[in-house]
Amino acid sequence: MKKAVVLSSGGIDSTTVMAIALSEGYDVSAISYAYGQRHAFELQAAESVAEFFKIKNRIVLSIDLSRFGGSALTDTIDVPKSATNIIKSNGIPVTYVPARNAVFLSLALAWAEVLGAYDIFIGVNAIDYSGYPDCRPEFIQAFEQMANLATRAGVEGPDRFRIQAPLLHMSKAQIIQKGIALGVDYSLTHSCYDPSDTGLACDRCDSCILRRLGFEAAGVKDPTRYHR
């Protein structure tokens, strides 16, 4: 069975990507990151998702990006809230974590090389997203090229590394519809950047807005528990 490493954040996108990888017959290993983010609810969601899909090989790496700061997700900067528009229209938002996907993919690549997995799945999206530069197809293409230049497996191995981003050109509604077709339980997922102490979603941050509008456009009942 072909092997794959899937980056799992516990959100809609990474959960859908995991379902896609499994549906394509991959033996999936899941990697999540405790990176100094504002809360642990997304890691709890990732654990629930892994259990739902019966992923046996899963690790959580601790890398404290809050030591650097520079983001509303890893620093004391307030998370922007907007009930009417998506923040990406004003440029790259302060919820962007500097080089996060480059860091995450690099660590996933190292694990994939050890596992003998040449496919790395990531749930980046260049349509319904917050405008992060590390969610663009140019970044994915460049990282894939680097992966095959920077590793022994890429240089001497029997295959080439592939950075699989199957959601790259899909809307949030299309992503949700794809996941529903594959049997995903989205009530297990978490998206909010600034939840309550009990994990209720704020319904006003960028991520919450994209999530809610996605369910509405998909014609699927939103299972999210909001703090309203």
Side-chain angles (χ1 to χ4, degrees):
M1 183 180 287
K2 53 188 177 180
K3 298 178 180 180
V5 170
V6 177
L7 279 70
S8 177
S9 69
I12 285 176
D13 295 344
S14 69
T15 300
T16 306
V17 162
M18 187 174 291
I20 290 172
L22 289 167
S23 74
E24 293 180 355
Y26 285 93
D27 177 10
V28 168
S29 296
I31 186 168
S32 303
Y33 300 96
Y35 63 94
Q37 59 265 60
R38 296 174 69 95
H39 61 82
F41 295 114
E42 64 182 50
L43 290 174
Q44 294 173 15
E47 178 67 26
S48 297
V49 167
E51 292 177 359
F52 176 78
F53 285 122
K54 297 180 172 60
I55 304 299
K56 296 179 180 179
N57 195 19
R58 175 173 180 260
I59 61 173
V60 179
L61 285 185
S62 295
I63 43 169
D64 191 5
L65 298 183
S66 69
R67 295 285 298 275
F68 300 155
S71 168
L73 301 189
T74 58
D75 210 331
T76 56
I77 304 168
D78 290 338
V79 173
K81 304 290 179 68
S82 172
T84 57
N85 65 334
I86 300 302
I87 298 166
K88 72 175 181 179
S89 62
N90 298 321
I92 298 172
V94 296
T95 50
Y96 161 71
V97 179
R100 178 174 61 178
N101 282 344
V103 172
F104 287 1
L105 278 172
S106 294
L107 293 168
L109 173 64
W111 194 33
E113 185 171 26
V114 172
L115 294 173
Y118 279 91
D119 292 274
I120 301 172
F121 283 78
I122 184 171
V124 293
N125 176 266
I127 297 181
D128 283 344
Y129 76 126
S130 295
Y132 300 152
D134 54 1
C135 290
R136 298 176 299 160
E138 297 90 338
F139 167 72
I140 297 300
Q141 293 164 6
F143 192 94
E144 180 174 284
Q145 182 179 14
M146 183 278 295
N148 286 290
L149 292 171
T151 57
R152 181 173 63 185
V155 174
E156 298 181 348
D159 204 346
R160 288 181 56 81
F161 284 108
R162 290 169 292 273
I163 308 302
Q164 303 266 18
L167 312 184
L168 197 57
H169 301 293
M170 296 171 66
S171 69
K172 189 68 74 177
Q174 290 171 326
I175 292 168
I176 291 169
Q177 290 168 342
K178 178 68 173 180
I180 293 296
L182 293 174
V184 172
D185 181 358
Y186 285 117
S187 70
L188 300 175
T189 65
H190 181 93
S191 301
C192 183
Y193 289 151
D194 193 25
S196 70
D197 292 341
T198 58
L200 298 178
C202 73
D203 196 27
R204 295 173 57 228
C205 70
D206 220 20
S207 189
C208 276
I209 293 171
L210 288 168
R211 180 182 174 106
R212 175 167 44 80
L213 293 177
F215 278 110
E216 289 176 3
V220 175
K221 183 179 179 181
D222 185 356
T224 311
R225 298 182 305 125
Y226 292 106
H227 181 260
R228 291 171 172 163

